[in-house]
Coordinates of all heavy atoms in Angstrom, one line a residue:
D1 N -24.2 -44.1 13.5 CA -22.9 -44.0 12.9 C -22.0 -43.1 13.8 O -21.1 -42.5 13.4 CB -23.0 -43.4 11.6 CG -23.6 -44.3 10.5 OD1 -23.5 -45.5 10.8 OD2 -24.1 -43.9 9.5
S2 N -22.4 -43.0 15.1 CA -21.5 -42.2 16.0 C -21.3 -43.0 17.3 O -22.0 -44.0 17.6 CB -22.2 -40.9 16.3 OG -23.4 -41.1 17.1
Q3 N -20.4 -42.6 18.1 CA -20.1 -43.2 19.4 C -21.3 -42.9 20.3 O -21.7 -43.8 21.1 CB -18.8 -42.6 20.0 CG -17.6 -43.1 19.3 CD -16.3 -42.6 20.0 OE1 -16.4 -41.7 20.8 NE2 -15.2 -43.2 19.7
R4 N -21.9 -41.8 20.3 CA -23.0 -41.5 21.1 C -24.2 -42.4 20.8 O -24.9 -42.9 21.7 CB -23.5 -40.0 21.0 CG -22.5 -39.1 21.8 CD -22.9 -37.6 21.6 NE -24.2 -37.4 22.1 CZ -24.9 -36.3 22.0 NH1 -24.3 -35.3 21.4 NH2 -26.1 -36.2 22.4
G5 N -24.4 -42.6 19.5 CA -25.5 -43.5 19.0 C -25.3 -44.9 19.5 O -26.2 -45.6 19.9
A6 N -24.0 -45.4 19.3 CA -23.7 -46.7 19.7 C -23.9 -46.9 21.2 O -24.4 -47.9 21.7 CB -22.2 -47.0 19.4
K7 N -23.5 -45.9 22.0 CA -23.7 -46.0 23.5 C -25.1 -46.0 23.9 O -25.5 -46.8 24.7 CB -23.0 -44.8 24.1 CG -23.0 -44.9 25.6 CD -22.2 -43.7 26.3 CE -22.3 -43.8 27.8 NZ -21.5 -42.7 28.4
A8 N -25.9 -45.2 23.2 CA -27.4 -45.2 23.5 C -28.0 -46.5 23.1 O -28.8 -47.1 23.9 CB -28.0 -44.1 22.7
S9 N -27.6 -47.1 22.0 CA -28.1 -48.4 21.6 C -27.7 -49.5 22.6 O -28.6 -50.3 23.0 CB -27.6 -48.8 20.2 OG -28.2 -47.9 19.2
A10 N -26.5 -49.5 23.0 CA -26.0 -50.5 24.0 C -26.8 -50.4 25.3 O -27.1 -51.4 25.9 CB -24.5 -50.3 24.2
M11 N -27.1 -49.2 25.7 CA -27.8 -49.0 27.0 C -29.2 -49.5 26.8 O -29.8 -50.2 27.7 CB -27.8 -47.5 27.4 CG -26.5 -47.1 28.0 SD -26.6 -45.5 28.8 CE -26.8 -44.4 27.4
M12 N -29.9 -49.3 25.7 CA -31.2 -49.7 25.5 C -31.3 -51.3 25.4 O -32.1 -51.9 26.0 CB -31.8 -49.1 24.2 CG -33.2 -49.5 23.9 SD -34.4 -48.8 25.2 CE -34.4 -47.1 24.8
Y13 N -30.3 -51.8 24.6 CA -30.3 -53.3 24.5 C -30.0 -53.9 25.9 O -30.6 -55.0 26.2 CB -29.2 -53.7 23.5 CG -29.5 -53.4 22.1 CD1 -28.6 -52.8 21.2 CD2 -30.8 -53.6 21.5 CE1 -28.9 -52.5 19.9 CE2 -31.1 -53.2 20.2 CZ -30.1 -52.7 19.4 OH -30.4 -52.3 18.2
S14 N -29.2 -53.3 26.6 CA -28.9 -53.9 28.0 C -30.1 -53.8 28.9 O -30.4 -54.8 29.6 CB -27.8 -53.0 28.6 OG -27.5 -53.5 29.9
L15 N -30.9 -52.8 28.8 CA -32.1 -52.6 29.6 C -33.1 -53.7 29.2 O -33.8 -54.3 30.0 CB -32.6 -51.2 29.4 CG -33.6 -50.7 30.5 CD1 -33.0 -50.8 31.9 CD2 -34.0 -49.3 30.2
I16 N -33.3 -53.9 27.9 CA -34.2 -54.9 27.3 C -33.8 -56.3 27.7 O -34.6 -57.1 28.2 CB -34.3 -54.8 25.8 CG1 -35.1 -53.5 25.4 CG2 -35.0 -56.0 25.2 CD1 -35.0 -53.1 23.9
E17 N -32.5 -56.6 27.6 CA -32.1 -58.0 28.0 C -32.2 -58.2 29.5 O -32.5 -59.3 29.9 CB -30.7 -58.2 27.5 CG -30.6 -58.3 26.0 CD -31.5 -59.4 25.3 OE1 -31.6 -60.5 25.9 OE2 -32.1 -59.1 24.3
T18 N -32.0 -57.2 30.3 CA -32.1 -57.3 31.7 C -33.6 -57.5 32.1 O -33.9 -58.3 33.0 CB -31.5 -56.1 32.4 OG1 -30.1 -55.9 32.0 CG2 -31.6 -56.3 33.9
A19 N -34.5 -56.8 31.3 CA -35.9 -57.0 31.6 C -36.3 -58.4 31.3 O -37.0 -59.1 32.1 CB -36.7 -56.0 30.7
K20 N -35.8 -59.0 30.2 CA -36.1 -60.4 29.8 C -35.6 -61.3 30.9 O -36.3 -62.3 31.3 CB -35.4 -60.7 28.5 CG -36.1 -60.1 27.3 CD -35.4 -60.6 26.0 CE -35.7 -59.8 24.8 NZ -34.9 -60.3 23.6
A21 N -34.4 -61.1 31.4 CA -33.7 -61.9 32.4 C -34.5 -61.9 33.7 O -34.5 -62.8 34.5 CB -32.3 -61.5 32.6
N22 N -35.3 -60.8 33.9 CA -36.1 -60.7 35.1 C -37.6 -61.1 34.8 O -38.5 -60.6 35.6 CB -36.0 -59.3 35.7 CG -34.7 -59.1 36.4 OD1 -34.5 -59.5 37.5 ND2 -33.7 -58.5 35.7
D23 N -37.8 -61.8 33.7 CA -39.2 -62.3 33.4 C -40.2 -61.1 33.2 O -41.3 -61.2 33.5 CB -39.7 -63.2 34.4 CG -38.9 -64.5 34.5 OD1 -38.4 -65.0 33.5 OD2 -38.7 -65.0 35.6
L24 N -39.7 -60.0 32.6 CA -40.5 -58.9 32.3 C -40.7 -58.8 30.8 O -39.7 -59.1 30.0 CB -40.0 -57.6 32.8 CG -39.8 -57.4 34.3 CD1 -39.0 -56.2 34.6 CD2 -41.1 -57.4 35.0
E25 N -41.9 -58.5 30.3 CA -42.1 -58.3 28.8 C -41.5 -57.0 28.5 O -41.9 -56.0 29.0 CB -43.6 -58.4 28.5 CG -43.9 -58.6 27.1 CD -43.8 -57.3 26.3 OE1 -44.3 -56.3 26.7 OE2 -43.1 -57.4 25.2
P26 N -40.5 -56.9 27.6 CA -39.7 -55.7 27.4 C -40.5 -54.5 26.9 O -40.3 -53.4 27.4 CB -38.7 -56.1 26.2 CG -38.6 -57.6 26.4 CD -39.9 -58.1 26.9
Y27 N -41.5 -54.7 26.0 CA -42.3 -53.5 25.6 C -43.1 -53.0 26.7 O -43.1 -51.7 26.9 CB -43.2 -54.0 24.4 CG -44.0 -52.8 23.9 CD1 -43.4 -51.8 23.1 CD2 -45.4 -52.7 24.2 CE1 -44.2 -50.8 22.6 CE2 -46.2 -51.7 23.7 CZ -45.6 -50.7 22.9 OH -46.3 -49.7 22.5
A28 N -43.7 -53.8 27.5 CA -44.5 -53.3 28.6 C -43.7 -52.7 29.7 O -44.0 -51.6 30.2 CB -45.3 -54.5 29.3
Y29 N -42.5 -53.3 29.9 CA -41.5 -52.7 30.8 C -41.1 -51.3 30.4 O -41.1 -50.3 31.2 CB -40.3 -53.6 31.0 CG -39.2 -52.9 31.7 CD1 -39.3 -52.7 33.1 CD2 -38.1 -52.5 31.1 CE1 -38.3 -52.0 33.8 CE2 -37.0 -51.8 31.7 CZ -37.2 -51.6 33.1 OH -36.1 -50.9 33.7
L30 N -40.7 -51.1 29.1 CA -40.3 -49.8 28.7 C -41.4 -48.8 28.7 O -41.1 -47.6 29.0 CB -39.7 -50.0 27.2 CG -38.3 -50.7 27.2 CD1 -37.9 -50.9 25.7 CD2 -37.3 -50.0 27.9
R31 N -42.6 -49.2 28.4 CA -43.7 -48.3 28.4 C -43.9 -47.7 29.9 O -44.1 -46.6 30.1 CB -45.0 -48.9 28.0 CG -45.1 -49.1 26.5 CD -46.4 -49.7 26.1 NE -47.6 -49.3 26.8 CZ -48.5 -48.4 26.2 NH1 -48.3 -47.9 25.1 NH2 -49.5 -48.0 27.0
R32 N -43.8 -48.6 30.8 CA -43.9 -48.2 32.2 C -42.8 -47.3 32.6 O -43.0 -46.3 33.3 CB -43.9 -49.4 33.1 CG -44.1 -49.0 34.6 CD -44.5 -50.1 35.5 NE -44.6 -49.5 36.8 CZ -45.2 -50.1 37.8 NH1 -45.8 -51.2 37.6 NH2 -45.3 -49.5 39.0
V33 N -41.5 -47.6 32.3 CA -40.4 -46.8 32.6 C -40.6 -45.4 32.0 O -40.4 -44.4 32.7 CB -39.1 -47.4 32.1 CG1 -37.9 -46.5 32.2 CG2 -38.8 -48.7 33.0
F34 N -40.9 -45.3 30.7 CA -41.0 -44.0 30.1 C -42.2 -43.2 30.6 O -42.2 -42.0 30.6 CB -41.1 -44.2 28.6 CG -39.8 -44.7 27.9 CD1 -39.9 -45.6 26.9 CD2 -38.6 -44.2 28.3 CE1 -38.7 -46.1 26.3 CE2 -37.4 -44.7 27.8 CZ -37.5 -45.6 26.7
A35 N -43.2 -43.9 31.2 CA -44.3 -43.2 31.8 C -44.0 -42.7 33.2 O -44.4 -41.6 33.6 CB -45.5 -44.1 31.9
Q36 N -43.2 -43.5 33.9 CA -42.8 -43.1 35.3 C -41.6 -42.2 35.4 O -41.5 -41.5 36.4 CB -42.6 -44.4 36.1 CG -43.9 -45.3 36.2 CD -44.9 -44.6 37.1 OE1 -44.6 -43.9 38.1 NE2 -46.1 -44.7 36.6
L37 N -40.7 -42.3 34.5 CA -39.4 -41.6 34.6 C -39.6 -40.1 34.8 O -38.9 -39.5 35.6 CB -38.5 -41.9 33.4 CG -37.1 -41.6 33.5 CD1 -36.4 -42.3 34.7 CD2 -36.3 -41.9 32.2
P38 N -40.5 -39.4 34.1 CA -40.7 -38.0 34.4 C -41.2 -37.7 35.8 O -41.0 -36.5 36.2 CB -41.7 -37.6 33.3 CG -41.7 -38.6 32.3 CD -41.3 -39.9 33.0
L39 N -41.7 -38.6 36.5 CA -42.2 -38.4 37.8 C -41.1 -38.6 38.9 O -41.4 -38.3 40.1 CB -43.4 -39.3 38.1 CG -44.5 -39.2 37.1 CD1 -45.6 -40.3 37.4 CD2 -45.2 -37.8 37.0
C40 N -40.0 -39.2 38.5 CA -38.9 -39.4 39.5 C -38.3 -38.2 40.0 O -38.0 -37.3 39.2 CB -37.9 -40.4 38.8 SG -38.5 -42.0 38.4
E41 N -38.1 -38.1 41.3 CA -37.5 -37.0 41.9 C -36.1 -37.3 42.5 O -35.3 -36.4 42.8 CB -38.4 -36.4 42.9 CG -39.7 -35.8 42.3 CD -40.6 -35.3 43.3 OE1 -40.3 -35.3 44.5 OE2 -41.7 -34.7 42.9
T42 N -35.8 -38.5 42.8 CA -34.6 -38.9 43.4 C -33.9 -40.1 42.7 O -34.6 -40.8 41.9 CB -34.8 -39.4 44.9 OG1 -35.6 -40.5 44.9 CG2 -35.5 -38.3 45.7
V43 N -32.7 -40.4 43.0 CA -32.0 -41.5 42.5 C -32.7 -42.8 42.9 O -32.9 -43.7 42.1 CB -30.5 -41.5 42.9 CG1 -29.8 -42.8 42.5 CG2 -29.8 -40.3 42.4
E44 N -33.3 -42.8 44.1 CA -34.0 -44.0 44.6 C -35.2 -44.2 43.7 O -35.5 -45.4 43.4 CB -34.3 -43.8 46.0 CG -33.2 -43.9 47.0 CD -32.4 -42.6 47.1 OE1 -32.9 -41.5 46.7 OE2 -31.2 -42.7 47.5
D45 N -35.9 -43.2 43.3 CA -37.1 -43.3 42.5 C -36.7 -44.0 41.1 O -37.4 -44.9 40.6 CB -37.7 -42.0 42.2 CG -38.4 -41.4 43.4 OD1 -38.7 -42.1 44.4 OD2 -38.6 -40.1 43.3
I46 N -35.6 -43.5 40.6 CA -35.1 -44.1 39.3 C -34.6 -45.6 39.5 O -35.0 -46.4 38.7 CB -33.9 -43.3 38.7 CG1 -34.5 -41.9 38.4 CG2 -33.3 -44.0 37.5 CD1 -33.4 -40.9 38.0
E47 N -34.0 -45.9 40.6 CA -33.5 -47.2 40.8 C -34.7 -48.2 41.0 O -34.6 -49.3 40.6 CB -32.7 -47.3 42.1 CG -31.3 -46.7 41.9 CD -30.4 -46.6 43.1 OE1 -31.0 -46.8 44.2 OE2 -29.3 -46.4 43.0
K48 N -35.9 -47.7 41.4 CA -37.0 -48.6 41.5 C -37.5 -49.0 40.2 O -38.3 -50.0 40.0 CB -38.2 -47.8 42.3 CG -37.9 -47.6 43.7 CD -39.0 -46.8 44.4 CE -38.7 -46.5 45.8 NZ -39.7 -45.6 46.4
L49 N -37.2 -48.3 39.1 CA -37.6 -48.6 37.8 C -36.7 -49.6 37.1 O -37.0 -50.1 36.0 CB -37.6 -47.3 36.9 CG -38.6 -46.3 37.4 CD1 -38.5 -45.0 36.5 CD2 -40.0 -46.8 37.4
L50 N -35.6 -50.0 37.7 CA -34.7 -51.0 37.1 C -35.3 -52.3 37.0 O -36.1 -52.7 37.9 CB -33.4 -51.1 37.9 CG -32.5 -49.8 37.8 CD1 -31.3 -49.9 38.8 CD2 -32.0 -49.5 36.4
P51 N -35.1 -53.1 36.0 CA -35.8 -54.4 35.8 C -35.7 -55.3 37.0 O -36.7 -55.9 37.4 CB -35.1 -55.0 34.6 CG -34.5 -53.9 33.9 CD -34.2 -52.9 34.9
E52 N -34.6 -55.3 37.7 CA -34.4 -56.2 38.8 C -35.2 -55.8 40.0 O -35.5 -56.6 40.9 CB -33.0 -56.4 39.2 CG -32.2 -55.2 39.6 CD -31.5 -54.5 38.4 OE1 -31.8 -54.8 37.2 OE2 -30.7 -53.7 38.7
N53 N -35.7 -54.6 40.0 CA -36.6 -54.1 41.1 C -38.0 -54.1 40.9 O -38.8 -53.6 41.7 CB -36.1 -52.7 41.5 CG -34.7 -52.6 42.0 OD1 -34.2 -53.6 42.6 ND2 -34.0 -51.5 41.8
M54 N -38.4 -54.6 39.7 CA -39.8 -54.6 39.3 C -40.3 -56.1 39.3 O -39.6 -57.0 39.0 CB -40.1 -54.0 38.0 CG -39.9 -52.5 37.9 SD -40.5 -51.9 36.3 CE -41.0 -50.3 36.8
K55 N -41.6 -56.2 39.6 CA -42.2 -57.6 39.6 C -43.0 -57.7 38.3 O -43.7 -56.7 37.9 CB -43.1 -57.8 40.8 CG -42.4 -57.7 42.1 CD -41.5 -58.9 42.4 CE -40.9 -58.8 43.8 NZ -39.7 -59.4 43.9
A56 N -43.0 -58.8 37.7 CA -43.7 -59.1 36.4 C -45.2 -58.8 36.6 O -45.9 -58.3 35.7 CB -43.5 -60.5 35.9
A57 N -45.7 -59.1 37.8 CA -47.2 -58.9 38.1 C -47.5 -57.5 38.1 O -48.7 -57.1 37.9 CB -47.5 -59.6 39.4
V58 N -46.6 -56.6 38.4 CA -46.9 -55.1 38.5 C -47.2 -54.5 37.2 O -47.9 -53.6 37.1 CB -45.8 -54.4 39.3 CG1 -46.0 -52.9 39.3 CG2 -45.6 -55.0 40.7
I59 N -46.5 -55.0 36.1 CA -46.6 -54.4 34.8 C -47.9 -54.7 34.1 O -48.7 -55.4 34.1 CB -45.4 -54.7 33.9 CG1 -44.2 -54.1 34.5 CG2 -45.6 -54.3 32.5 CD1 -43.0 -54.3 33.8

């Protein structure tokens, strides 16, 4: 019921739909992202976690 909540939901839905568009299973993709995100040290590390930069076979 807030703008912040709506923005967060939109970002999550966008990430899930982009994962699907890249032939990634959304739940497995998100599990990997949430496991790897705390280990990221640079913007490049984070960009590697974007759906278009991951291969379905890696998950």
Side-chain angles (χ1 to χ4, degrees):
D1 291 339
S2 70
Q3 287 183 346
R4 285 178 58 189
K7 186 176 179 180
S9 292
M11 287 190 290
M12 185 63 74
Y13 293 133
S14 178
L15 202 55
I16 289 169
E17 291 303 318
T18 305
K20 288 181 190 177
N22 284 279
D23 298 320
L24 298 171
E25 196 282 312
Y27 181 73
Y29 167 71
L30 290 174
R31 283 180 45 101
R32 179 164 182 164
V33 167
F34 292 138
Q36 294 295 317
L37 198 56
L39 306 175
C40 292
E41 296 180 357
T42 65
V43 172
E44 290 79 17
D45 291 341
I46 294 171
E47 288 175 347
K48 290 176 186 175
L49 299 177
L50 293 173
E52 59 268 17
N53 296 330
M54 290 189 151
K55 301 285 186 212
V58 175
I59 292 181

